[in-house]
């Protein structure tokens, strides 16, 4: 299984959209895909028309009673999506209380890794949608993944969130004593605005060695897909947004091929 985290310590930058778009395109290629919602806001869960306030069995429950080692329980938690080979591990709003409940307990940073180990042969890819704050859920995502994708809105305030995210990543890599490849992806790009152009230019100056050459444009078809609860390529395979995510996926797959 390949595990990719989609993360940024700022909200509203396109994390959930990126998880869904990339996951859908992978599933279209025939891969078995697991989408994991680690955000207490439950945006990924809501995308597929589940109510995070009503999810009784999801990511939250895996942190207790050693359920993360129970394959049968995990299979019951995983839900279908609009594609047969793409599934969802949903979130509930109860995740917002997790930090306080597990504080000081050992092994809480590896719950997701243990969960994925139970279904390792069932999926080819797992894509993780993370919360915009550093805590036990973000630590779980970074510990479990082999690659990090950092969507960053092309507007000035998003640069501070990007700076925090890169700093967090460097701290985690030092503590885990391993390298975690990452790619910064400019999102919500609007070439008609000077703010987008200026911010993209700044990103290229500061992060040239880890910045995707592909920008994800503002595209209302991505929002339309969300409203219908389907993967973007199912709604409009030739939309600007889907084409951009297809190029991004090709880039990520080519990088995986280089490192084996």
């Amino acid at each position: 299984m390949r595990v990719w985290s989609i993360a940024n310590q700022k909200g509203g930058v396109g994390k959930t959209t990126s998880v869904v778009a990339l996951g859908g395109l992978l599933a279209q290629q025939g891969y078995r895909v697991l989408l994991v919602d680690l955000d207490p806001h439950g945006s990924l869960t809501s995308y597929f028309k589940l109510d995070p306030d009503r999810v009784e069995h999801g990511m939250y429950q895996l942190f207790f009673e050693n359920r993360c080692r129970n394959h049968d329980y995990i299979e019951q938690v995983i839900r279908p999506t609009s594609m047969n080979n793409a599934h969802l591990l949903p979130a509930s709003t109860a995740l917002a209380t997790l930090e306080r409940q597990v504080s000081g307990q050992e092994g809480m940073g590896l719950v997701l890794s243990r969960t994925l180990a139970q279904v390792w042969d069932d999926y080819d890819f797992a894509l993780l949608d993370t919360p915009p704050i550093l805590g036990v859920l973000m630590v779980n995502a970074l510990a479990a993944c082999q690659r990090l994708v950092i969507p960053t809105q092309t507007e000035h305030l998003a640069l501070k969130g990007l700076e925090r995210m890169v700093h967090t990543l460097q701290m985690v890599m030092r503590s885990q004593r391993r390298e975690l490849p990452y790619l910064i992806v400019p999102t919500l790009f609007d070439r008609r605005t000077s703010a987008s152009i200026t911010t993209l230019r700044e990103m290229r100056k500061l992060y040239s060695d880890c910045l995707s050459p592909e920008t994800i444009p503002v595209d209302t078809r991505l929002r339309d897909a969300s409203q219908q609860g389907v993967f973007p390529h199912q709604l409009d395979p030739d939309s600007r947004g889907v084409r951009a995510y297809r190029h991004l996926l090709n880039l990520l797959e080519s990088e995986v091929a280089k490192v084996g």
Side-chain angles (χ1 to χ4, degrees):
M1 184 195 292
R2 296 282 180 180
V3 184
W4 296 348
S5 285
I6 317 299
N8 195 321
Q9 286 182 254
K10 184 182 185 305
V13 298
K15 292 193 301 293
T16 299
T17 299
S18 296
V19 168
V20 174
L22 292 171
L25 291 171
L26 284 166
Q28 186 186 37
Q29 293 180 13
Y31 292 112
R32 300 163 300 168
V33 180
L34 179 64
L35 310 178
V36 181
D37 195 348
L38 292 167
D39 191 342
H41 291 109
S43 296
L44 181 60
T45 300
S46 298
Y47 189 107
F48 292 105
K49 306 307 179 185
L50 295 175
D51 184 352
D53 289 329
R54 297 178 179 274
V55 170
E56 295 182 358
H57 301 283
M59 194 63 225
Y60 173 78
Q61 283 72 23
L62 295 174
F63 278 83
F64 303 100
E65 298 179 11
N66 219 25
R67 293 189 179 104
C68 64
R69 299 182 189 270
N70 186 330
H71 181 273
D72 291 340
Y73 181 81
I74 295 167
E75 281 196 329
Q76 294 173 21
V77 168
I78 292 172
R79 309 292 182 87
T81 69
S82 57
M83 295 185 74
N84 289 335
N85 55 332
H87 298 94
L88 171 70
L89 202 170
S92 66
T93 51
L95 280 174
T97 68
L98 187 64
E99 200 76 34
R100 173 169 42 84
Q101 294 183 55
V102 304
S103 178
Q105 296 184 36
E106 292 186 5
M108 289 297 104
L110 297 175
V111 168
L112 180 58
S113 297
R114 292 168 182 149
T115 299
L116 295 179
Q118 294 297 318
V119 294
W120 197 263
D121 295 329
D122 299 338
Y123 295 95
D124 302 301
F125 282 88
L127 273 62
L128 318 179
D129 192 9
T130 63
I133 56 172
L134 177 60
V136 66
L137 293 166
M138 176 76 80
V139 169
N140 266 267
L142 296 180
C145 75
Q146 302 140 357
R147 173 166 293 277
L148 178 66
V149 177
I150 309 176
T152 304
Q153 184 179 359
T154 47
E155 60 99 20
H156 180 69
L157 291 178
L159 289 176
K160 291 303 294 182
L162 176 58
E163 182 182 341
R164 287 194 298 272
M165 187 66 231
V166 171
H167 178 67
T168 295
L169 178 59
Q170 291 169 343
M171 287 194 306
V172 169
M173 286 193 294
R174 282 196 299 270
S175 67
Q176 295 183 355
R177 297 180 181 177
R178 67 165 181 139
E179 289 295 317
L180 180 58
Y182 65 97
L183 184 69
I184 298 166
V185 180
T187 58
L188 298 168
F189 181 70
D190 188 346
R191 64 178 65 257
R192 300 169 298 178
T193 68
S194 60
S196 274
I197 293 171
T198 301
T199 303
L200 181 59
R201 188 179 299 125
E202 189 71 10
M203 286 183 188
R204 286 171 174 163
K205 184 191 305 181
L206 296 172
Y207 303 102
S208 59
D209 58 337
C210 52
L211 183 70
S212 169
E214 185 64 51
T215 61
I216 307 299
V218 172
D219 185 355
T220 58
R221 298 300 278 166
L222 296 173
R223 184 179 61 210
D224 294 342
S226 173
Q227 290 174 343
Q228 295 185 32
V230 299
F231 292 94
H233 78 273
Q234 292 180 305
L235 179 69
D236 188 347
D238 295 317
S239 68
R240 291 182 302 143
V242 169
R243 289 200 306 269
Y245 275 112
R246 191 173 287 117
H247 291 316
L248 174 61
L249 180 58
N250 290 339
L251 174 64
L252 289 167
E253 290 181 312
S254 68
E255 290 185 350
V256 167
K258 288 178 186 177
V259 299

